[in-house]
Amino acid sequence: MAAPRESVSLLFKLYCLAVMTLMAAAYTIALRYTRTSDKELYFSTTAVCITEVIKLLLSVGILAKETGSLDRFKASLRENVLRSPKELMKLSVPSLVYAVQNNMAFLALSNLDAAVYQVTYQLKIPCTALCTVLMLNRTLSKLQWISVFMLCGGVTLVQWKPAQATKIVFLQVLEASTLLLWLSTQTTS
C-alpha cells in the first residue's frame, strides 16, 4: 500500500521558490563583490572547505536530534559511516565533483560578470534533464522539454549579445522558463 502524499499548498511552494531565488541571487552578487574588490582576496578553497564543515556540523546536529539519545546517535554513525565503506566511497565521487564545482564557481565569478555567470550556471538544468532521460530512462513531458529549450535559448542569446538591456530581458525569460520547468515537475510528481 502506498504511503499517503502530503499536499503542500501552491503558496508555500511559491514562497520557497522566491526564497531560493533570492538566496541564489544574493550569493552570486556577494561572491562576485568579494572576489572583485580591491582588498586582499581570500582563498576560495578555504571558503569552500569552511562551507562544507558547517554543513557537516549541521547534518551531525540534525542526526543527533533525530536519534534522540547519545547511544542511538553513536550506533547510527557506526552503522552508516564506519561499517559502510563501500557506500562512503560511492558518496565520495559526487562530493569531490561538488567541491570542484564550488571552486570553479569562485573562479568564474572572479572573471565573469555576475549576470552572465548566473545565466550560464542555469545550464545545469538542461544537463540534468538530459542525464535523467539518458541514464535513468525517465521521460519528460512536452511542457518540460519546452522549458528546457527556452532555458537553452535564453542562455545562448545572453552569451551571443551581452548588452545590458538584453541581459535583463533574457534573465526574465530564463526565470520564467525555470519557474515553468519547476512547476511542471511539481504537477507530474
Side-chain angles (χ1 to χ4, degrees):
M1 184 173 191
R5 286 183 59 191
E6 292 182 29
S7 64
V8 179
S9 73
L10 180 63
L11 185 62
F12 181 72
K13 289 179 181 180
L14 290 174
Y15 167 76
C16 290
L17 180 65
V19 168
M20 289 173 30
T21 302
L22 288 174
M23 282 177 36
Y27 170 79
T28 302
I29 292 168
L31 193 60
R32 170 75 177 152
Y33 175 75
T34 61
R35 297 306 292 172
T36 57
S37 66
D38 293 335
K39 299 176 183 174
E40 189 174 334
L41 288 180
Y42 53 90
F43 291 114
S44 61
T45 51
T46 305
V48 170
C49 185
I50 289 172
T51 303
E52 295 306 315
V53 167
I54 290 170
K55 287 184 203 176
L56 175 68
L57 293 174
L58 287 171
S59 298
V60 167
I62 291 170
L63 179 63
K65 184 174 178 8
E66 283 185 2
T67 54
S69 72
L70 186 60
D71 290 334
R72 283 190 287 195
F73 173 71
K74 286 180 184 178
S76 178
L77 281 180
R78 199 175 307 115
E79 181 68 29
N80 296 315
V81 178
L82 298 176
R83 292 189 184 154
S84 302
K86 192 174 181 180
E87 294 299 315
L88 222 61
M89 289 302 292
K90 287 180 187 176
L91 287 175
S92 68
V93 174
S95 300
L96 289 172
V97 171
Y98 187 67
V100 169
Q101 175 193 351
N102 283 337
N103 281 300
M104 297 303 276
F106 276 88
L107 179 66
L109 277 169
S110 299
N111 297 304
L112 292 174
D113 184 56
V116 172
Y117 165 80
Q118 191 67 26
V119 169
T120 307
Y121 188 70
Q122 296 308 312
L123 284 176
K124 68 181 178 183
I125 296 171
C127 290
T128 303
L130 195 59
C131 288
T132 300
V133 169
L134 295 176
M135 294 178 176
L136 301 177
N137 295 323
R138 302 257 331 250
T139 57
L140 297 180
S141 69
K142 188 176 182 179
L143 182 63
Q144 289 171 325
W145 278 115
I146 290 170
S147 301
V148 167
F149 285 120
M150 281 179 62
L151 190 61
C152 290
V155 169
T156 303
L157 288 173
V158 166
Q159 296 298 332
W160 185 18
K161 212 169 174 98
Q164 190 62 29
T166 307
K167 285 182 193 176
I168 292 169
V169 169
F170 286 109
L171 276 173
Q172 292 170 347
V173 169
L174 289 174
E175 288 172 358
S177 64
T178 304
L179 177 63
L180 188 62
L181 182 63
W182 181 77
L183 288 174
S184 68
T185 59
Q186 296 304 309
T187 58
T188 58
S189 59

